Amino acid sequence: QSVLTQPPSASGTPGQRVTISCSGSSSNIGSNTVNWYQQLPGTAPKLLIYSNNQRPSGVPDRFSGSKSGTSASLAISGLQSEDEADYYCAAWDDSSWMFGGGTKLTVL
Amino acid sequence: EVQLVQSGAEVKKPGESLKISCKGSGYSFTSYWIGWVRQMPGKGLEWMGIIYPGDSDTRYSPSFQGQVTISADKSISTAYLQWSSLKASDTAMYYCARPLDHYYDRRGPPGYWGQGTLVTVSS
């Protein structure tokens, strides 16, 4: 059971906007920044968003992040078929990184 | 270009020992923490621990303390994850990861990842 709670699944059609939530507590999201990762099948996780809303170089601006209190969200606009993947939130908690359980995004 | 290259897949029997590696290149290996992440089959990501190769300061997630050993050899820019006695439940993909550039603290967001090492433990 993960410390950070994500919905197990999400879906959308091409072009749609989809959001994925991540709920934590005062010891993780409430007092630290949030990162988001995308994991395509059979590949290593890729950092999509760091420090709540910053995109590493090369990540399209279709991906955006936000945080409020002890919750965070990842939004994907203009959904594309290649966005079908697992998405994980992560936050520092006391002395280690904590990950959410992951959300499987299906593009219908 | 920053790269983390991990050792190849392993198939082991329960009770055997194992050491897998993660070689860093394209940056100052002693300046950034390197962490290890477990992903069991069909499951999510779990943070195992982290090491600072500069002085070998090592921290473990409570769930993995005493179960594995993390080490590093800065002379060859390589971090290691080892088990003294493997169990079937250690079957998983293991990733090493390093914070983004300019994040020198262990809380820096893991932005560079190795390709993963698949460990299979079966009798």
Side-chain angles (χ1 to χ4, degrees), chain A residues 82-105:
Chain A
E82 55 261 40
D83 298 333
E84 188 160 290
D86 293 325
Y87 292 84
Y88 295 91
C89 60
W92 185 260
D93 188 322
D94 187 25
S95 60
S96 65
W97 283 100
M98 293 295 172
F99 292 97
T103 298
K104 184 175 185 59
L105 175 63

Side-chain angles (χ1 to χ4, degrees), chain B:
Chain B
E1 179 195 6
V2 174
Q3 282 194 311
L4 298 174
V5 179
Q6 298 185 228
S7 48
E10 301 274 2
V11 179
K12 291 289 190 179
K13 290 180 167 38
E16 291 186 331
S17 63
L18 176 65
K19 193 174 190 177
I20 63 175
S21 66
C22 168
K23 183 173 177 60
S25 63
Y27 71 99
S28 173
F29 185 73
T30 54
S31 297
Y32 289 90
W33 292 79
I34 287 186
W36 287 94
V37 176
R38 181 176 79 175
Q39 187 168 37
M40 299 177 77
K43 302 298 184 183
L45 306 172
E46 301 172 271
W47 188 256
M48 302 176 71
I50 196 166
I51 187 166
Y52 186 71
D55 61 7
S56 292
D57 184 3
T58 308
R59 314 293 176 92
Y60 294 92
S61 169
S63 301
F64 292 93
Q65 179 81 47
Q67 308 304 307
V68 296
T69 301
I70 294 172
S71 61
D73 185 341
K74 60 187 179 183
S75 69
I76 55 172
S77 301
T78 301
Y80 300 98
L81 177 65
Q82 69 179 87
W83 296 259
S84 58
S85 180
L86 286 160
K87 302 185 278 287
S89 56
D90 293 318
T91 294
M93 181 71 82
Y94 293 88
Y95 295 101
C96 60
R98 199 215 84 172
L100 286 176
D101 294 339
H102 310 304
Y103 282 87
Y104 300 104
D105 188 273
R106 68 182 186 275
R107 294 169 295 178
Y112 296 98
W113 292 67
Q115 83 277 19
T117 295
L118 180 62
V119 174
T120 303
V121 183
S122 174
S123 54

